[in-house]
Amino acid sequence: MTITLSPITSAFAAEVGDVDLAQPIAADDLAAIKQAFWKYAVLIFPDQQLDADRHYDFARQFGPVEVDRVLDTSLHPHRIDPKFADISNLDAQGRIWGESSRQRMYKAGNKLWHTDSSFKYTPGLCSLLYARTVVPIGGHTEFADQRAAYDALPDDAKRKLEGLVAEHCIAHSRRRSGFHEFTDDEAKRLPPVPQALVRTLPESGRKTLYVASHIGRIFGMPQAEATVLIDQLIAHVTQRQFVYTHRWRPNDLVMWDNRCTLHRGTDFDDLRWVRDMRRATVSDHANSCIQEGLAVPV
Ligand code: OGA
Ligand code: MN
């Protein structure tokens, strides 16, 4: 069986059919999936039956899977295996979280445009998010194509961005979404890290912006200028022509390239409905400055 590809637009987001991710994947199917992934950056695999092991095994085909550890596990015991980020509105006992729970305040940051794990020195390569329980209204995930947004910039803007390095920090995006309460231990574990503002994707040779709400400053640029530039770039990338909105069905697996897309969750009534998803995040092989041949600022 060879896979079937149904592009959503000619260059961004495609559905993949005729593949069962719960079975070992034939080498030529995996090669076809990878080729499609480097081209479309967002792939949707409908109607998959994935337990934790099958989900993990598929993610492993793309590189090492991160352990999810942002919040202190002594304050927040994991509900699910820490190989996965728990993208749900459930507490450790599996009940809908409380209105003022720390988890809820922290995860509100997922509603800002971001890319996963750019706040880690070796950032995220791709994420694989699997939907177990979805909600009847809202709770979509929007994706924006940072490659197409880069291509659409005027030449002088491209020149101005060349070689710039931004500082990403989870505390920064969380402050933007109203969460100020990292413990000292949490803050120490995730210090700010440098990342290139423009990247080149080795598989396609395409250039891409690499912006996110995790960015706090740009090295060598006055703060007022940097804050405005980052806001403008995020607004540019997330114009509707660069965005695909995924409306979840149960058992969808969606994977995206964190090097060249932004995403955010949309609102839903999270005190009423259960939304239960889990995400495997695959690490890139090196910091983006190193990949771009840029000096890593200290
Ligand atoms: C994620 C994420 C948004 C959503 O899984 O990384 O940001 O729609 N999800 O839940
Ligand atoms: Mn995310």
Side-chain angles (χ1 to χ4, degrees), residues 85-88 107 109-112 114-116 127-129 139-143 174 246 248 256 258 263-266 268 275 277-279 281:
D86 185 358
I87 308 296
S88 75
K107 285 189 191 162
N110 279 346
K111 292 189 243 171
L112 300 181
H114 68 281
T115 185
D116 294 332
S127 292
L128 298 94
L129 183 60
H140 312 311
T141 308
E142 298 182 303
F143 296 93
R174 284 336 186 234
H246 188 67
W248 290 93
W256 60 87
N258 282 308
H263 64 277
R264 68 173 177 184
T266 72
F268 68 101
R275 183 175 188 258
M277 328 246 256
R278 52 189 57 179
R279 188 189 81 214
T281 315

PDB file of all heavy atoms in Angstrom, residues 85-88 107 109-112 114-116 127-129 139-143 174 246 248 256 258 263-266 268 275 277-279 281, ligand 1:
ATOM      1  N   ALA A  85       3.518  15.685  26.152  1.00  0.00           N
ATOM      2  CA  ALA A  85       2.943  16.879  26.758  1.00  0.00           C
ATOM      3  C   ALA A  85       1.438  16.627  26.866  1.00  0.00           C
ATOM      4  O   ALA A  85       0.803  16.178  25.900  1.00  0.00           O
ATOM      5  CB  ALA A  85       3.232  18.095  25.892  1.00  0.00           C
ATOM      6  N   ASP A  86       0.900  16.911  28.037  1.00  0.00           N
ATOM      7  CA  ASP A  86      -0.523  16.671  28.293  1.00  0.00           C
ATOM      8  C   ASP A  86      -1.302  17.898  27.821  1.00  0.00           C
ATOM      9  O   ASP A  86      -1.374  18.908  28.506  1.00  0.00           O
ATOM     10  CB  ASP A  86      -0.709  16.448  29.800  1.00  0.00           C
ATOM     11  CG  ASP A  86      -2.138  16.058  30.150  1.00  0.00           C
ATOM     12  OD1 ASP A  86      -2.986  16.004  29.240  1.00  0.00           O
ATOM     13  OD2 ASP A  86      -2.388  15.821  31.351  1.00  0.00           O
ATOM     14  N   ILE A  87      -1.862  17.800  26.619  1.00  0.00           N
ATOM     15  CA  ILE A  87      -2.618  18.932  26.061  1.00  0.00           C
ATOM     16  C   ILE A  87      -4.098  18.655  26.337  1.00  0.00           C
ATOM     17  O   ILE A  87      -4.853  18.257  25.460  1.00  0.00           O
ATOM     18  CB  ILE A  87      -2.323  19.105  24.548  1.00  0.00           C
ATOM     19  CG1 ILE A  87      -0.820  19.180  24.280  1.00  0.00           C
ATOM     20  CG2 ILE A  87      -3.040  20.346  23.999  1.00  0.00           C
ATOM     21  CD1 ILE A  87      -0.105  20.379  24.900  1.00  0.00           C
ATOM     22  N   SER A  88      -4.439  18.780  27.621  1.00  0.00           N
ATOM     23  CA  SER A  88      -5.836  18.531  28.003  1.00  0.00           C
ATOM     24  C   SER A  88      -6.217  19.574  29.043  1.00  0.00           C
ATOM     25  O   SER A  88      -5.376  20.345  29.508  1.00  0.00           O
ATOM     26  CB  SER A  88      -5.973  17.128  28.620  1.00  0.00           C
ATOM     27  OG  SER A  88      -5.456  17.131  29.942  1.00  0.00           O
ATOM     28  N   LYS A 107      -1.300  26.941  30.843  1.00  0.00           N
ATOM     29  CA  LYS A 107      -1.607  26.482  29.474  1.00  0.00           C
ATOM     30  C   LYS A 107      -2.364  27.516  28.651  1.00  0.00           C
ATOM     31  O   LYS A 107      -2.489  27.361  27.433  1.00  0.00           O
ATOM     32  CB  LYS A 107      -2.365  25.153  29.513  1.00  0.00           C
ATOM     33  CG  LYS A 107      -1.427  23.993  29.867  1.00  0.00           C
ATOM     34  CD  LYS A 107      -2.100  22.657  29.705  1.00  0.00           C
ATOM     35  CE  LYS A 107      -1.261  21.547  30.319  1.00  0.00           C
ATOM     36  NZ  LYS A 107      -2.049  20.336  30.559  1.00  0.00           N
ATOM     37  N   GLY A 109      -1.156  30.053  27.750  1.00  0.00           N
ATOM     38  CA  GLY A 109      -0.119  30.501  26.806  1.00  0.00           C
ATOM     39  C   GLY A 109      -0.191  29.788  25.466  1.00  0.00           C
ATOM     40  O   GLY A 109       0.304  30.308  24.458  1.00  0.00           O
ATOM     41  N   ASN A 110      -0.805  28.605  25.399  1.00  0.00           N
ATOM     42  CA  ASN A 110      -0.946  27.892  24.118  1.00  0.00           C
ATOM     43  C   ASN A 110      -1.902  28.596  23.168  1.00  0.00           C
ATOM     44  O   ASN A 110      -2.006  28.226  22.003  1.00  0.00           O
ATOM     45  CB  ASN A 110      -1.443  26.453  24.356  1.00  0.00           C
ATOM     46  CG  ASN A 110      -0.306  25.525  24.765  1.00  0.00           C
ATOM     47  OD1 ASN A 110       0.869  25.871  24.634  1.00  0.00           O
ATOM     48  ND2 ASN A 110      -0.659  24.357  25.273  1.00  0.00           N
ATOM     49  N   LYS A 111      -2.617  29.614  23.674  1.00  0.00           N
ATOM     50  CA  LYS A 111      -3.520  30.362  22.797  1.00  0.00           C
ATOM     51  C   LYS A 111      -2.824  31.548  22.146  1.00  0.00           C
ATOM     52  O   LYS A 111      -3.425  32.277  21.363  1.00  0.00           O
ATOM     53  CB  LYS A 111      -4.753  30.814  23.592  1.00  0.00           C
ATOM     54  CG  LYS A 111      -5.631  29.621  23.992  1.00  0.00           C
ATOM     55  CD  LYS A 111      -6.947  30.074  24.588  1.00  0.00           C
ATOM     56  CE  LYS A 111      -7.056  29.621  26.027  1.00  0.00           C
ATOM     57  NZ  LYS A 111      -8.196  30.206  26.721  1.00  0.00           N
ATOM     58  N   LEU A 112      -1.545  31.749  22.481  1.00  0.00           N
ATOM     59  CA  LEU A 112      -0.746  32.753  21.768  1.00  0.00           C
ATOM     60  C   LEU A 112       0.019  32.036  20.654  1.00  0.00           C
ATOM     61  O   LEU A 112       0.429  30.885  20.819  1.00  0.00           O
ATOM     62  CB  LEU A 112       0.276  33.398  22.721  1.00  0.00           C
ATOM     63  CG  LEU A 112      -0.273  34.125  23.945  1.00  0.00           C
ATOM     64  CD1 LEU A 112       0.886  34.724  24.745  1.00  0.00           C
ATOM     65  CD2 LEU A 112      -1.252  35.209  23.531  1.00  0.00           C
ATOM     66  N   HIS A 114       2.767  30.494  18.742  1.00  0.00           N
ATOM     67  CA  HIS A 114       4.080  30.027  19.217  1.00  0.00           C
ATOM     68  C   HIS A 114       4.542  28.840  18.394  1.00  0.00           C
ATOM     69  O   HIS A 114       3.809  28.310  17.559  1.00  0.00           O
ATOM     70  CB  HIS A 114       3.999  29.635  20.697  1.00  0.00           C
ATOM     71  CG  HIS A 114       3.161  28.408  20.935  1.00  0.00           C
ATOM     72  ND1 HIS A 114       1.778  28.441  20.961  1.00  0.00           N
ATOM     73  CD2 HIS A 114       3.490  27.113  21.131  1.00  0.00           C
ATOM     74  CE1 HIS A 114       1.308  27.223  21.178  1.00  0.00           C
ATOM     75  NE2 HIS A 114       2.329  26.390  21.278  1.00  0.00           N
ATOM     76  N   THR A 115       5.769  28.445  18.643  1.00  0.00           N
ATOM     77  CA  THR A 115       6.263  27.193  18.088  1.00  0.00           C
ATOM     78  C   THR A 115       6.823  26.406  19.258  1.00  0.00           C
ATOM     79  O   THR A 115       7.323  26.990  20.221  1.00  0.00           O
ATOM     80  CB  THR A 115       7.272  27.451  16.949  1.00  0.00           C
ATOM     81  OG1 THR A 115       7.628  26.202  16.358  1.00  0.00           O
ATOM     82  CG2 THR A 115       8.506  28.194  17.414  1.00  0.00           C
ATOM     83  N   ASP A 116       6.707  25.069  19.238  1.00  0.00           N
ATOM     84  CA  ASP A 116       7.025  24.304  20.443  1.00  0.00           C
ATOM     85  C   ASP A 116       8.529  24.234  20.696  1.00  0.00           C
ATOM     86  O   ASP A 116       9.322  23.958  19.788  1.00  0.00           O
ATOM     87  CB  ASP A 116       6.450  22.885  20.345  1.00  0.00           C
ATOM     88  CG  ASP A 116       4.928  22.890  20.345  1.00  0.00           C
ATOM     89  OD1 ASP A 116       4.343  23.817  20.928  1.00  0.00           O
ATOM     90  OD2 ASP A 116       4.338  21.959  19.753  1.00  0.00           O
ATOM     91  N   SER A 127       6.258  18.359  16.152  1.00  0.00           N
ATOM     92  CA  SER A 127       5.342  17.900  17.190  1.00  0.00           C
ATOM     93  C   SER A 127       4.300  17.001  16.552  1.00  0.00           C
ATOM     94  O   SER A 127       3.909  17.219  15.394  1.00  0.00           O
ATOM     95  CB  SER A 127       4.634  19.082  17.849  1.00  0.00           C
ATOM     96  OG  SER A 127       5.541  19.860  18.603  1.00  0.00           O
ATOM     97  N   LEU A 128       3.859  16.003  17.321  1.00  0.00           N
ATOM     98  CA  LEU A 128       2.836  15.077  16.828  1.00  0.00           C
ATOM     99  C   LEU A 128       1.736  15.045  17.883  1.00  0.00           C
ATOM    100  O   LEU A 128       1.930  14.500  18.979  1.00  0.00           O
ATOM    101  CB  LEU A 128       3.423  13.673  16.625  1.00  0.00           C
ATOM    102  CG  LEU A 128       4.553  13.576  15.584  1.00  0.00           C
ATOM    103  CD1 LEU A 128       5.923  13.698  16.257  1.00  0.00           C
ATOM    104  CD2 LEU A 128       4.480  12.273  14.806  1.00  0.00           C
ATOM    105  N   LEU A 129       0.596  15.659  17.557  1.00  0.00           N
ATOM    106  CA  LEU A 129      -0.488  15.838  18.530  1.00  0.00           C
ATOM    107  C   LEU A 129      -1.644  14.919  18.150  1.00  0.00           C
ATOM    108  O   LEU A 129      -2.131  14.946  17.008  1.00  0.00           O
ATOM    109  CB  LEU A 129      -0.931  17.305  18.534  1.00  0.00           C
ATOM    110  CG  LEU A 129      -2.006  17.724  19.528  1.00  0.00           C
ATOM    111  CD1 LEU A 129      -1.582  17.466  20.980  1.00  0.00           C
ATOM    112  CD2 LEU A 129      -2.336  19.218  19.357  1.00  0.00           C
ATOM    113  N   GLY A 139     -12.023  24.982  20.239  1.00  0.00           N
ATOM    114  CA  GLY A 139     -10.924  24.054  20.497  1.00  0.00           C
ATOM    115  C   GLY A 139     -10.214  23.629  19.213  1.00  0.00           C
ATOM    116  O   GLY A 139      -9.723  22.500  19.113  1.00  0.00           O
ATOM    117  N   HIS A 140     -10.176  24.510  18.209  1.00  0.00           N
ATOM    118  CA  HIS A 140      -9.428  24.214  16.984  1.00  0.00           C
ATOM    119  C   HIS A 140      -7.955  24.540  17.212  1.00  0.00           C
ATOM    120  O   HIS A 140      -7.585  25.172  18.204  1.00  0.00           O
ATOM    121  CB  HIS A 140      -9.937  25.077  15.824  1.00  0.00           C
ATOM    122  CG  HIS A 140     -11.427  25.088  15.681  1.00  0.00           C
ATOM    123  ND1 HIS A 140     -12.187  23.934  15.672  1.00  0.00           N
ATOM    124  CD2 HIS A 140     -12.302  26.118  15.561  1.00  0.00           C
ATOM    125  CE1 HIS A 140     -13.462  24.263  15.542  1.00  0.00           C
ATOM    126  NE2 HIS A 140     -13.565  25.583  15.481  1.00  0.00           N
ATOM    127  N   THR A 141      -7.111  24.143  16.277  1.00  0.00           N
ATOM    128  CA  THR A 141      -5.714  24.585  16.300  1.00  0.00           C
ATOM    129  C   THR A 141      -5.415  25.260  14.972  1.00  0.00           C
ATOM    130  O   THR A 141      -5.691  24.680  13.910  1.00  0.00           O
ATOM    131  CB  THR A 141      -4.753  23.409  16.563  1.00  0.00           C
ATOM    132  OG1 THR A 141      -5.176  22.709  17.734  1.00  0.00           O
ATOM    133  CG2 THR A 141      -3.324  23.913  16.774  1.00  0.00           C
ATOM    134  N   GLU A 142      -4.881  26.470  15.044  1.00  0.00           N
ATOM    135  CA  GLU A 142      -4.527  27.218  13.839  1.00  0.00           C
ATOM    136  C   GLU A 142      -3.016  27.096  13.607  1.00  0.00           C
ATOM    137  O   GLU A 142      -2.238  27.143  14.566  1.00  0.00           O
ATOM    138  CB  GLU A 142      -4.894  28.692  14.006  1.00  0.00           C
ATOM    139  CG  GLU A 142      -6.381  28.908  14.216  1.00  0.00           C
ATOM    140  CD  GLU A 142      -6.729  30.383  14.326  1.00  0.00           C
ATOM    141  OE1 GLU A 142      -6.167  31.074  15.200  1.00  0.00           O
ATOM    142  OE2 GLU A 142      -7.572  30.842  13.534  1.00  0.00           O
ATOM    143  N   PHE A 143      -2.652  26.976  12.332  1.00  0.00           N
ATOM    144  CA  PHE A 143      -1.241  26.865  11.946  1.00  0.00           C
ATOM    145  C   PHE A 143      -0.919  27.944  10.919  1.00  0.00           C
ATOM    146  O   PHE A 143      -1.714  28.191  10.008  1.00  0.00           O
ATOM    147  CB  PHE A 143      -0.963  25.495  11.309  1.00  0.00           C
ATOM    148  CG  PHE A 143      -1.161  24.351  12.261  1.00  0.00           C
ATOM    149  CD1 PHE A 143      -2.386  23.691  12.337  1.00  0.00           C
ATOM    150  CD2 PHE A 143      -0.131  23.934  13.097  1.00  0.00           C
ATOM    151  CE1 PHE A 143      -2.579  22.642  13.231  1.00  0.00           C
ATOM    152  CE2 PHE A 143      -0.313  22.894  13.993  1.00  0.00           C
ATOM    153  CZ  PHE A 143      -1.535  22.240  14.053  1.00  0.00           C
ATOM    154  N   ARG A 174       4.730  33.304  28.806  1.00  0.00           N
ATOM    155  CA  ARG A 174       3.768  33.104  29.880  1.00  0.00           C
ATOM    156  C   ARG A 174       3.393  34.434  30.540  1.00  0.00           C
ATOM    157  O   ARG A 174       2.246  34.647  30.895  1.00  0.00           O
ATOM    158  CB  ARG A 174       4.294  32.107  30.917  1.00  0.00           C
ATOM    159  CG  ARG A 174       4.229  30.628  30.474  1.00  0.00           C
ATOM    160  CD  ARG A 174       3.192  30.424  29.426  1.00  0.00           C
ATOM    161  NE  ARG A 174       2.951  29.035  29.019  1.00  0.00           N
ATOM    162  CZ  ARG A 174       3.000  28.608  27.766  1.00  0.00           C
ATOM    163  NH1 ARG A 174       3.364  29.414  26.779  1.00  0.00           N
ATOM    164  NH2 ARG A 174       2.682  27.364  27.461  1.00  0.00           N
ATOM    165  N   HIS A 246      -7.167  23.812  11.846  1.00  0.00           N
ATOM    166  CA  HIS A 246      -7.540  22.403  11.958  1.00  0.00           C
ATOM    167  C   HIS A 246      -8.694  22.242  12.935  1.00  0.00           C
ATOM    168  O   HIS A 246      -8.592  22.598  14.108  1.00  0.00           O
ATOM    169  CB  HIS A 246      -6.352  21.543  12.404  1.00  0.00           C
ATOM    170  CG  HIS A 246      -6.697  20.092  12.337  1.00  0.00           C
ATOM    171  ND1 HIS A 246      -6.935  19.464  11.134  1.00  0.00           N
ATOM    172  CD2 HIS A 246      -6.936  19.177  13.306  1.00  0.00           C
ATOM    173  CE1 HIS A 246      -7.278  18.208  11.373  1.00  0.00           C
ATOM    174  NE2 HIS A 246      -7.292  18.015  12.673  1.00  0.00           N
ATOM    175  N   TRP A 248     -10.644  19.594  14.870  1.00  0.00           N
ATOM    176  CA  TRP A 248     -10.278  18.246  15.289  1.00  0.00           C
ATOM    177  C   TRP A 248     -11.438  17.268  15.213  1.00  0.00           C
ATOM    178  O   TRP A 248     -12.566  17.606  15.571  1.00  0.00           O
ATOM    179  CB  TRP A 248      -9.757  18.284  16.725  1.00  0.00           C
ATOM    180  CG  TRP A 248      -8.433  18.957  16.833  1.00  0.00           C
ATOM    181  CD1 TRP A 248      -8.212  20.277  17.096  1.00  0.00           C
ATOM    182  CD2 TRP A 248      -7.149  18.356  16.660  1.00  0.00           C
ATOM    183  NE1 TRP A 248      -6.858  20.525  17.104  1.00  0.00           N
ATOM    184  CE2 TRP A 248      -6.178  19.377  16.846  1.00  0.00           C
ATOM    185  CE3 TRP A 248      -6.716  17.058  16.368  1.00  0.00           C
ATOM    186  CZ2 TRP A 248      -4.813  19.126  16.757  1.00  0.00           C
ATOM    187  CZ3 TRP A 248      -5.357  16.821  16.280  1.00  0.00           C
ATOM    188  CH2 TRP A 248      -4.418  17.846  16.476  1.00  0.00           C
ATOM    189  N   TRP A 256       3.424  18.762  12.863  1.00  0.00           N
ATOM    190  CA  TRP A 256       3.850  20.020  12.246  1.00  0.00           C
ATOM    191  C   TRP A 256       5.342  20.229  12.457  1.00  0.00           C
ATOM    192  O   TRP A 256       5.934  19.708  13.407  1.00  0.00           O
ATOM    193  CB  TRP A 256       3.047  21.208  12.786  1.00  0.00           C
ATOM    194  CG  TRP A 256       3.130  21.452  14.252  1.00  0.00           C
ATOM    195  CD1 TRP A 256       4.058  22.193  14.909  1.00  0.00           C
ATOM    196  CD2 TRP A 256       2.225  20.967  15.268  1.00  0.00           C
ATOM    197  NE1 TRP A 256       3.800  22.210  16.253  1.00  0.00           N
ATOM    198  CE2 TRP A 256       2.687  21.470  16.503  1.00  0.00           C
ATOM    199  CE3 TRP A 256       1.076  20.159  15.255  1.00  0.00           C
ATOM    200  CZ2 TRP A 256       2.043  21.199  17.708  1.00  0.00           C
ATOM    201  CZ3 TRP A 256       0.445  19.888  16.456  1.00  0.00           C
ATOM    202  CH2 TRP A 256       0.921  20.409  17.653  1.00  0.00           C
ATOM    203  N   ASN A 258       8.100  22.441  13.604  1.00  0.00           N
ATOM    204  CA  ASN A 258       8.251  23.592  14.508  1.00  0.00           C
ATOM    205  C   ASN A 258       9.277  24.610  14.015  1.00  0.00           C
ATOM    206  O   ASN A 258       9.337  25.721  14.540  1.00  0.00           O
ATOM    207  CB  ASN A 258       8.650  23.116  15.913  1.00  0.00           C
ATOM    208  CG  ASN A 258       7.474  22.569  16.696  1.00  0.00           C
ATOM    209  OD1 ASN A 258       6.451  23.228  16.812  1.00  0.00           O
ATOM    210  ND2 ASN A 258       7.614  21.358  17.212  1.00  0.00           N
ATOM    211  N   HIS A 263       1.699  28.013  15.674  1.00  0.00           N
ATOM    212  CA  HIS A 263       0.359  27.480  15.932  1.00  0.00           C
ATOM    213  C   HIS A 263      -0.185  28.092  17.212  1.00  0.00           C
ATOM    214  O   HIS A 263       0.549  28.639  18.027  1.00  0.00           O
ATOM    215  CB  HIS A 263       0.366  25.947  16.006  1.00  0.00           C
ATOM    216  CG  HIS A 263       1.172  25.377  17.131  1.00  0.00           C
ATOM    217  ND1 HIS A 263       2.531  25.191  17.063  1.00  0.00           N
ATOM    218  CD2 HIS A 263       0.816  24.972  18.382  1.00  0.00           C
ATOM    219  CE1 HIS A 263       2.971  24.679  18.192  1.00  0.00           C
ATOM    220  NE2 HIS A 263       1.957  24.534  19.022  1.00  0.00           N
ATOM    221  N   ARG A 264      -1.524  27.985  17.349  1.00  0.00           N
ATOM    222  CA  ARG A 264      -2.175  28.389  18.606  1.00  0.00           C
ATOM    223  C   ARG A 264      -3.502  27.654  18.718  1.00  0.00           C
ATOM    224  O   ARG A 264      -4.127  27.301  17.712  1.00  0.00           O
ATOM    225  CB  ARG A 264      -2.408  29.906  18.652  1.00  0.00           C
ATOM    226  CG  ARG A 264      -3.420  30.407  17.669  1.00  0.00           C
ATOM    227  CD  ARG A 264      -3.736  31.901  17.863  1.00  0.00           C
ATOM    228  NE  ARG A 264      -4.663  32.336  16.830  1.00  0.00           N
ATOM    229  CZ  ARG A 264      -5.065  33.594  16.685  1.00  0.00           C
ATOM    230  NH1 ARG A 264      -4.619  34.541  17.488  1.00  0.00           N
ATOM    231  NH2 ARG A 264      -5.927  33.911  15.734  1.00  0.00           N
ATOM    232  N   GLY A 265      -3.921  27.445  19.946  1.00  0.00           N
ATOM    233  CA  GLY A 265      -5.224  26.830  20.197  1.00  0.00           C
ATOM    234  C   GLY A 265      -6.286  27.906  20.257  1.00  0.00           C
ATOM    235  O   GLY A 265      -6.015  29.023  20.718  1.00  0.00           O
ATOM    236  N   THR A 266      -7.503  27.590  19.789  1.00  0.00           N
ATOM    237  CA  THR A 266      -8.590  28.559  19.910  1.00  0.00           C
ATOM    238  C   THR A 266      -9.435  28.218  21.151  1.00  0.00           C
ATOM    239  O   THR A 266      -9.381  27.099  21.663  1.00  0.00           O
ATOM    240  CB  THR A 266      -9.477  28.606  18.648  1.00  0.00           C
ATOM    241  OG1 THR A 266     -10.260  27.406  18.581  1.00  0.00           O
ATOM    242  CG2 THR A 266      -8.645  28.735  17.379  1.00  0.00           C
ATOM    243  N   PHE A 268     -12.358  27.399  23.878  1.00  0.00           N
ATOM    244  CA  PHE A 268     -13.538  26.530  24.020  1.00  0.00           C
ATOM    245  C   PHE A 268     -13.945  26.614  25.490  1.00  0.00           C
ATOM    246  O   PHE A 268     -13.209  27.190  26.303  1.00  0.00           O
ATOM    247  CB  PHE A 268     -13.238  25.098  23.580  1.00  0.00           C
ATOM    248  CG  PHE A 268     -12.265  24.356  24.472  1.00  0.00           C
ATOM    249  CD1 PHE A 268     -12.723  23.442  25.414  1.00  0.00           C
ATOM    250  CD2 PHE A 268     -10.903  24.584  24.375  1.00  0.00           C
ATOM    251  CE1 PHE A 268     -11.834  22.754  26.238  1.00  0.00           C
ATOM    252  CE2 PHE A 268     -10.005  23.904  25.198  1.00  0.00           C
ATOM    253  CZ  PHE A 268     -10.473  22.990  26.132  1.00  0.00           C
ATOM    254  N   ARG A 275     -11.377  18.118  26.746  1.00  0.00           N
ATOM    255  CA  ARG A 275     -10.570  18.051  25.523  1.00  0.00           C
ATOM    256  C   ARG A 275      -9.291  17.329  25.918  1.00  0.00           C
ATOM    257  O   ARG A 275      -8.529  17.819  26.757  1.00  0.00           O
ATOM    258  CB  ARG A 275     -10.271  19.457  25.028  1.00  0.00           C
ATOM    259  CG  ARG A 275      -9.497  19.525  23.700  1.00  0.00           C
ATOM    260  CD  ARG A 275      -9.407  20.987  23.298  1.00  0.00           C
ATOM    261  NE  ARG A 275      -8.860  21.237  21.987  1.00  0.00           N
ATOM    262  CZ  ARG A 275      -7.607  21.650  21.770  1.00  0.00           C
ATOM    263  NH1 ARG A 275      -6.763  21.789  22.780  1.00  0.00           N
ATOM    264  NH2 ARG A 275      -7.195  21.920  20.543  1.00  0.00           N
ATOM    265  N   MET A 277      -5.888  15.633  24.552  1.00  0.00           N
ATOM    266  CA  MET A 277      -4.924  15.404  23.476  1.00  0.00           C
ATOM    267  C   MET A 277      -3.559  15.179  24.112  1.00  0.00           C
ATOM    268  O   MET A 277      -3.291  15.673  25.215  1.00  0.00           O
ATOM    269  CB  MET A 277      -4.814  16.633  22.578  1.00  0.00           C
ATOM    270  CG  MET A 277      -6.089  17.433  22.455  1.00  0.00           C
ATOM    271  SD  MET A 277      -6.656  17.345  20.805  1.00  0.00           S
ATOM    272  CE  MET A 277      -6.168  18.940  20.299  1.00  0.00           C
ATOM    273  N   ARG A 278      -2.702  14.474  23.407  1.00  0.00           N
ATOM    274  CA  ARG A 278      -1.327  14.331  23.903  1.00  0.00           C
ATOM    275  C   ARG A 278      -0.351  14.570  22.769  1.00  0.00           C
ATOM    276  O   ARG A 278      -0.617  14.225  21.628  1.00  0.00           O
ATOM    277  CB  ARG A 278      -1.129  12.979  24.574  1.00  0.00           C
ATOM    278  CG  ARG A 278      -1.552  11.805  23.768  1.00  0.00           C
ATOM    279  CD  ARG A 278      -1.512  10.541  24.588  1.00  0.00           C
ATOM    280  NE  ARG A 278      -2.344  10.632  25.786  1.00  0.00           N
ATOM    281  CZ  ARG A 278      -2.495   9.649  26.654  1.00  0.00           C
ATOM    282  NH1 ARG A 278      -1.862   8.510  26.493  1.00  0.00           N
ATOM    283  NH2 ARG A 278      -3.269   9.794  27.716  1.00  0.00           N
ATOM    284  N   ARG A 279       0.778  15.161  23.133  1.00  0.00           N
ATOM    285  CA  ARG A 279       1.732  15.592  22.108  1.00  0.00           C
ATOM    286  C   ARG A 279       3.112  14.995  22.353  1.00  0.00           C
ATOM    287  O   ARG A 279       3.648  15.112  23.463  1.00  0.00           O
ATOM    288  CB  ARG A 279       1.849  17.119  22.138  1.00  0.00           C
ATOM    289  CG  ARG A 279       2.665  17.685  21.003  1.00  0.00           C
ATOM    290  CD  ARG A 279       2.924  19.168  21.218  1.00  0.00           C
ATOM    291  NE  ARG A 279       4.032  19.366  22.127  1.00  0.00           N
ATOM    292  CZ  ARG A 279       4.123  20.368  23.005  1.00  0.00           C
ATOM    293  NH1 ARG A 279       3.167  21.266  23.129  1.00  0.00           N
ATOM    294  NH2 ARG A 279       5.178  20.467  23.773  1.00  0.00           N
ATOM    295  N   THR A 281       6.920  15.541  21.233  1.00  0.00           N
ATOM    296  CA  THR A 281       7.718  16.614  20.637  1.00  0.00           C
ATOM    297  C   THR A 281       9.100  16.057  20.329  1.00  0.00           C
ATOM    298  O   THR A 281       9.771  15.533  21.221  1.00  0.00           O
ATOM    299  CB  THR A 281       7.848  17.798  21.621  1.00  0.00           C
ATOM    300  OG1 THR A 281       6.569  18.050  22.188  1.00  0.00           O
ATOM    301  CG2 THR A 281       8.362  19.047  20.913  1.00  0.00           C
TER     302      THR A 281
HETATM  303  C1  OGA B   1       0.411  22.119  21.373  1.00  0.00           C
HETATM  304  C2  OGA B   1      -0.467  23.316  21.339  1.00  0.00           C
HETATM  305  C3  OGA B   1      -2.728  24.054  20.959  1.00  0.00           C
HETATM  306  C4  OGA B   1      -4.062  23.427  21.087  1.00  0.00           C
HETATM  307  O1  OGA B   1      -0.094  20.999  21.441  1.00  0.00           O
HETATM  308  O2  OGA B   1       1.644  22.303  21.296  1.00  0.00           O
HETATM  309  O3  OGA B   1       0.016  24.413  21.408  1.00  0.00           O
HETATM  310  O4  OGA B   1      -4.905  23.612  20.203  1.00  0.00           O
HETATM  311  N1  OGA B   1      -1.763  23.058  21.207  1.00  0.00           N
HETATM  312  O5  OGA B   1      -4.260  22.740  22.083  1.00  0.00           O
END
